[in-house]
Amino acid sequence: MLRIEKLNVYYGGSHILRNVTLAIKPGSVVCLMGRNGAGKTTTLKTIAGLLTPKSGSITLDGEDLTPLSADKRARRGIGFVPQGREIFPQLTVRENLILGLGSRVSEGVDAIEEAFTLFPVLRQMLRRNGGDLSGGQQQQLAIARALLSRPRYLMLDEPTEGIQPSVISEIEEVILKIKSDGSPSIILIEQYLEFAWKLADYSYLVEKGTVVMEGTAGELDKKAAERFLAV
């Protein structure tokens, strides 16, 4: 299990995360929701090792990841697809996917085939530069690349942002398939309540860096959650 206990994170003198505590069980989809600036992305960046907490801990199956660098956390099984995707625009789709293999690079073409089972459209675009793809195709590439490293926990920061409805449906299907397979666990930042609750086993609502509500879709008060998400 991935546990985040009482995380406190600052940007300069600003206190961004305040005693954030989360628990992500193996094989689950957990959604982190809240308004812009609530601290959702900061939470994922801290889990990934891109930000250092002032206090608190991040443990995976009892191992304390808090002192580890981002690359060591990735080797422990923490995958991250950031907002904006951050693919390599000057590299081809194939080259982007190869970079996602990490220590599996010796498996080459056979390993890349795994990406096409989830995102078959990428097979037709192997020689195209990543920067030439549409936003939705880039998101599919970013998720496929992250999955090729076979993470135990995959964090997705607003994967539906700015994407056409048809691709949103495809991403939803992929997340549901991953969920049915039982691996990896997914931590999802999402603004759309219906999309999130269709997928999530458990949700956390964050307001001003604090978890204010949590539970399953059946346990949470939908109207109260909508108030926290309203602009």
Side-chain angles (χ1 to χ4, degrees):
M1 179 182 288
L2 182 64
R3 291 186 177 274
I4 293 86
E5 297 279 352
K6 296 183 178 180
L7 275 190
N8 285 277
V9 177
Y10 289 75
Y11 286 146
S14 299
H15 196 173
I16 305 301
L17 297 186
R18 301 170 181 269
N19 293 314
V20 169
T21 295
L22 314 172
I24 300 91
K25 296 178 181 178
S28 66
V29 176
V30 169
C31 189
L32 199 58
M33 294 183 287
R35 297 184 184 95
N36 289 336
K40 307 182 300 298
T41 295
T42 299
T43 300
L44 296 197
K45 285 184 174 180
T46 306
I47 295 170
L50 302 176
L51 295 173
T52 302
K54 180 87 170 180
S55 62
S57 65
I58 300 162
T59 59
L60 177 57
D61 295 338
E63 179 187 7
D64 187 4
L65 303 185
T66 318
L68 300 184
S69 61
D71 62 305
K72 289 181 179 178
R73 294 188 199 192
R75 286 197 286 273
R76 297 298 195 279
I78 304 297
F80 183 32
V81 178
Q83 192 175 23
R85 300 174 278 276
E86 295 187 10
I87 62 163
F88 295 95
Q90 301 305 318
L91 298 182
T92 66
V93 168
R94 181 179 183 277
E95 290 165 338
N96 270 277
L97 292 173
I98 288 173
L99 287 174
L101 290 172
S103 61
R104 301 179 61 212
V105 69
S106 61
E107 298 177 43
V109 175
D110 290 340
I112 289 177
E113 285 291 321
E114 295 173 15
F116 305 143
T117 63
L118 294 175
F119 298 108
V121 69
L122 295 178
R123 187 192 298 275
Q124 307 163 25
M125 302 179 177
L126 281 178
R127 296 184 180 181
R128 293 178 63 180
N129 284 350
D132 294 333
L133 306 184
S134 69
Q137 291 163 349
Q138 288 183 12
Q139 186 65 275
Q140 290 173 306
L141 174 59
I143 295 172
R145 184 181 65 184
L147 286 170
L148 285 177
S149 67
R150 290 183 177 169
R152 297 169 62 189
Y153 291 82
L154 177 62
M155 303 187 294
L156 304 176
D157 192 347
E158 297 203 37
T160 66
E161 183 184 30
I163 292 177
Q164 58 268 41
S166 61
V167 178
I168 290 176
S169 296
E170 291 173 11
I171 290 173
E172 179 182 324
E173 289 174 9
V174 166
I175 293 174
L176 287 171
K177 184 179 187 309
I178 291 170
K179 183 176 178 177
S180 69
D181 290 344
S183 181
S185 301
I186 292 176
I187 308 169
L188 172 71
I189 289 180
E190 185 51 60
Q191 295 278 17
Y192 298 108
L193 198 59
E194 296 298 334
F195 180 86
W197 281 2
K198 190 184 298 184
L199 300 170
D201 298 296
Y202 202 83
S203 297
Y204 294 89
L205 273 75
V206 181
E207 175 76 8
K208 297 180 180 178
T210 301
V211 175
V212 293
M213 293 178 67
E214 63 176 275
T216 65
E219 294 168 343
L220 290 173
D221 183 328
K222 185 176 180 182
K223 289 188 176 180
E226 288 172 340
R227 286 198 297 273
F228 280 112
L229 294 172
V231 177

